[in-house]
Amino acid sequence: MKMLNPQKPRLERRIVGSTNRWRFPRQPFSGDLLGLSQMCKAASIDFDEVLKNPDRLCISQIQKIFPENLKNKTIQSREADVILECLGFKWELHQPQLFQSETLAKLYLMGLARGNANPEKESVKILQAQRPGRSREQRPVKKMILSLKINDPLVTKEAFATALKNLYMREVKIGLDDVLGVLAAAHILQFSSLFQRCVTVMMSGLTPSTIKNFYLAGCKYNEEPLTTACEKWMEMNLVPLVGTQIHLRKIPKELLHKVLKSPRLFTFSEFHLLKTLLLWVYLQLNNKTQTFPMYETVLMFFSSFPKNCSFLDRDVGQNLISLFLCLRLHSITKGKDLEELRHINFFPESWLVRVTANHYHALENGGDMAHVKDLSTQAVRFGLLFNQEYTTHSKVITLYGFFFEIKGIKHDATSYSFHMQRIRHTDLEGASAVYENTPISLRAERLVTYEIRAQTLVDGKWQEFRTNHITQKFGLVKPSCKSHALKIQTVGIPIYASFSFVFSLS
């Protein structure tokens, strides 16, 4: 008898609509490519992702069968469908909740594939068993044991339990102390709704003690809204809040650099920002310090280095230069402050010479700041932090012999205005003592280019108000002595008001 060679399986044809298209034989796809593409579009699933991972389509179909109202309801079956072995514990889970996690759903389908000749039919059984009108006593599959290995140290037993609890309940409270672990568990489980809830909790819970870990989590999981929220929060709070606490030590250099380069950065003055940065460097080099140091202690520390070269010229300071290049050292004009910088021998001599030369030329030319080319990145900046208890808040600043008052006014519960105005030095109380070594300009007019900006947080989102770049001649009498006012309506508090200006060429 002649033996016939077994024929290889041939691709099948199927009439679909008015066309006759090739399709894959059996697994992993149940229809033709065009039909699969249309199915993915209807299910809002990425077609390329399904080609790489066919289980994704099945999981999505099953997830649509289980309505959201299954949460917060008692599981009708006392028997668990799955026992999950993870973190040294056994967790009992049920089908409707199981398929909210893509990771668990994939493990479940893989378990079906191991125990059945046709796992696709078993998936169909699951779908049919959960449709309305079907008896809940029908058991589409037998209980199975799944195993999940987790190597992330953030995922503790408690965090994982909270994540699984969210499979069954709509709103499980997540505390700030636990949110990092729950976020990590949600990421491993591919439990997207819980992951986004954790992100929302973190974005509304930014403090000096949480900012580092929340920012690093945003970077780790490529969660741009979280990293952006951390950066914006730091832009406002680096100087007035973080810069006054030991938590300053934990701020990553990468985050610090981004914040320093931002034109939205809030600071009371450039010297305040410099002190904050010096404190950060001190805390990096003295990591055993448990209390926040006094500024005098920081000055003594840097002054203790040999005088043969500056701190930034040393090996330990080389990788910090990029941070200090973000400072606008030409905005530090007080003789006492400049002498302090020279005494601690922190900056290269060439930097201090350039700053001193710029000040000399500006004074020689009646205040004209020829060295400043860009208002957004080089302007002199000052700030007011307008708190709830204020009805008015102001500060006097002096630059190259000119005196200005920056001021905020609360008009009613939600209405505020901010402006600056030129004042005479003789109008200041105790001026002779406070400004004894300060030059005084006798010029009647001063041409200034300025911008006023106000920012505040409302319901987790930053509101920003700003004027245009305005160029104006400031005299000594009204109305020329007063700038345009920035008028805002907001329920946010505190308000971070920034005043940036340049003495333009006359």
Side-chain angles (χ1 to χ4, degrees):
M1 180 182 291
K2 186 176 180 180
M3 299 292 295
L4 297 176
N5 292 327
Q7 293 183 349
K8 295 181 179 179
R10 300 176 60 186
L11 291 175
E12 304 174 39
R13 279 184 177 273
R14 172 182 293 176
I15 299 298
V16 182
S18 60
T19 63
N20 187 12
R21 301 193 294 267
W22 287 100
R23 75 177 187 121
F24 287 113
R26 299 175 66 86
Q27 296 298 322
F29 302 105
S30 59
D32 60 276
L33 284 177
L34 181 57
L36 178 66
S37 174
Q38 293 169 342
M39 189 184 300
C40 290
K41 186 177 293 185
S44 301
I45 305 171
D46 185 71
F47 179 62
D48 292 333
E49 185 180 342
V50 170
L51 288 177
K52 297 175 185 176
N53 181 11
D55 289 340
R56 180 70 183 87
L57 182 59
C58 180
I59 294 169
S60 176
Q61 289 177 303
I62 296 173
Q63 285 174 331
K64 289 182 181 295
I65 296 297
F66 300 134
E68 182 67 18
N69 61 16
L70 279 172
K71 290 189 176 183
N72 295 331
K73 287 190 176 182
T74 304
I75 302 299
Q76 293 182 14
S77 172
R78 295 176 181 269
E79 289 284 333
D81 302 299
V82 167
I83 294 178
L84 176 66
E85 295 180 344
C86 184
L87 299 175
F89 293 86
K90 294 182 179 180
W91 315 81
E92 293 189 345
L93 302 173
H94 300 79
Q95 279 179 357
Q97 286 69 31
L98 192 74
F99 281 91
Q100 295 177 72
S101 160
E102 289 194 22
T103 298
L104 297 181
K106 289 173 185 176
L107 288 175
Y108 189 61
L109 293 177
M110 289 170 61
L112 290 177
R114 286 195 300 269
N116 295 277
N118 194 338
E120 183 177 334
K121 290 184 178 179
E122 293 297 323
S123 299
V124 172
K125 287 182 182 180
I126 296 174
L127 291 169
Q128 292 176 343
Q130 300 299 332
R131 292 186 184 278
R134 301 292 297 189
S135 172
R136 300 295 295 176
E137 295 180 0
Q138 295 183 22
R139 304 297 298 168
V141 291
K142 296 180 180 180
K143 184 186 299 186
M144 68 171 64
I145 297 177
L146 302 178
S147 179
L148 177 63
K149 292 184 179 179
I150 297 179
N151 297 320
D152 192 334
L154 285 176
V155 184
T156 62
K157 178 190 71 173
E158 292 77 11
F160 193 70
T162 301
L164 294 182
K165 189 176 181 181
N166 274 269
L167 294 173
Y168 290 83
M169 300 180 66
R170 186 186 301 272
E171 292 294 336
V172 178
K173 186 176 180 181
I174 304 173
L176 283 179
D177 294 336
D178 308 316
V179 68
L180 273 174
V182 178
L183 180 84
H187 176 75
I188 290 171
L189 292 171
Q190 296 184 59
F191 189 177
S192 58
S193 61
L194 176 59
F195 187 89
Q196 290 305 318
R197 273 193 61 210
C198 291
V199 169
T200 301
V201 170
M202 295 164 79
M203 289 171 62
S204 62
L206 294 174
T207 66
S209 61
T210 63
I211 185 70
K212 172 198 170 183
N213 289 333
F214 289 3
Y215 174 76
L216 293 179
C219 295
K220 179 179 179 180
Y221 301 117
N222 296 317
E223 189 62 25
E224 187 175 345
L226 179 56
T227 55
T228 300
C230 291
E231 290 167 9
K232 287 186 176 181
W233 187 88
M234 276 292 292
E235 288 167 0
M236 296 298 101
N237 292 289
L238 172 62
V239 173
L241 186 59
V242 182
T244 63
Q245 300 183 24
I246 195 68
H247 301 295
L248 177 65
R249 165 193 287 143
K250 302 176 183 178
I251 304 303
K253 179 186 172 185
E254 174 195 359
L255 174 58
L256 190 60
H257 192 220
K258 286 183 179 180
V259 171
L260 290 172
K261 290 193 300 181
S262 172
R264 296 182 298 272
L265 172 62
F266 174 84
T267 183
F268 299 113
S269 71
E270 204 68 29
F271 194 65
H272 278 87
L273 182 59
L274 169 61
K275 290 198 294 185
T276 300
L277 204 49
L278 289 175
L279 284 162
W280 180 85
V281 176
Y282 175 87
L283 290 171
Q284 304 307 301
L285 300 177
N286 297 271
N287 50 26
K288 293 183 179 180
T289 301
Q290 299 300 314
T291 57
F292 193 74
M294 296 179 62
Y295 181 61
E296 289 73 15
T297 303
V298 176
L299 295 181
M300 290 178 60
F301 172 77
F302 289 118
S303 299
S304 66
F305 284 85
K307 302 298 182 182
N308 58 325
C309 71
S310 70
F311 179 85
L312 290 182
D313 284 328
R314 300 180 184 278
D315 292 339
V316 68
Q318 285 292 310
N319 65 340
L320 301 175
I321 289 180
S322 61
L323 297 178
F324 286 89
L325 284 173
C326 298
L327 294 178
R328 307 173 188 182
L329 292 179
H330 59 269
S331 298
I332 301 174
T333 59
K334 289 184 179 180
K336 174 179 175 295
D337 298 338
L338 293 171
E339 185 59 34
E340 194 172 273
L341 294 187
R342 188 175 298 278
H343 176 70
I344 63 174
N345 196 33
F346 188 89
F347 294 98
E349 183 67 21
S350 60
W351 292 28
L352 298 179
V353 168
R354 184 168 61 250
V355 170
T356 303
N358 288 335
H359 290 337
Y360 176 81
H361 289 300
L363 284 169
E364 192 176 45
N365 291 278
D368 292 350
M369 300 170 68
H371 53 281
V372 175
K373 308 298 182 184
D374 181 34
L375 182 70
S376 299
T377 59
Q378 296 179 298
V380 178
R381 51 189 173 184
F382 293 90
L384 293 177
L385 186 58
F386 203 97
N387 292 315
Q388 187 170 5
E389 64 269 20
Y390 293 146
T391 53
T392 63
H393 185 41
S394 65
K395 179 167 63 176
V396 174
I397 57 178
T398 175
L399 183 65
Y400 301 137
F402 295 90
F403 294 80
F404 287 85
E405 181 184 36
I406 56 177
K407 190 171 186 177
I409 302 173
K410 181 178 181 179
H411 301 284
D412 56 44
T414 60
S415 179
Y416 303 83
S417 67
F418 298 90
H419 70 273
M420 57 185 285
Q421 69 180 57
R422 186 182 173 189
I423 57 178
R424 300 176 187 271
H425 70 281
T426 53
D427 295 336
L428 301 173
E429 294 183 7
S432 57
V434 176
Y435 303 104
E436 183 177 358
N437 297 318
T438 300
I440 297 173
S441 175
L442 300 178
R443 295 183 63 168
E445 293 182 332
R446 173 67 263 172
L447 189 65
V448 181
T449 300
Y450 64 90
E451 177 191 56
I452 305 173
R453 186 192 303 256
Q455 299 172 86
T456 187
L457 189 64
V458 178
D459 295 331
K461 295 182 179 180
W462 286 99
Q463 291 183 343
E464 183 174 346
F465 311 88
R466 56 190 293 187
T467 65
N468 296 322
H469 290 184
I470 301 172
T471 300
Q472 175 183 336
K473 280 187 177 181
F474 281 84
L476 290 169
V477 295
K478 294 182 178 180
S480 65
C481 67
K482 189 174 181 180
S483 74
H484 292 262
L486 174 64
K487 299 178 181 180
I488 68 174
Q489 294 282 336
T490 183
V491 295
I493 209 74
I495 300 172
Y496 303 80
S498 299
F499 300 76
S500 302
F501 60 90
V502 173
F503 287 175
S504 306
L505 300 181
S506 302

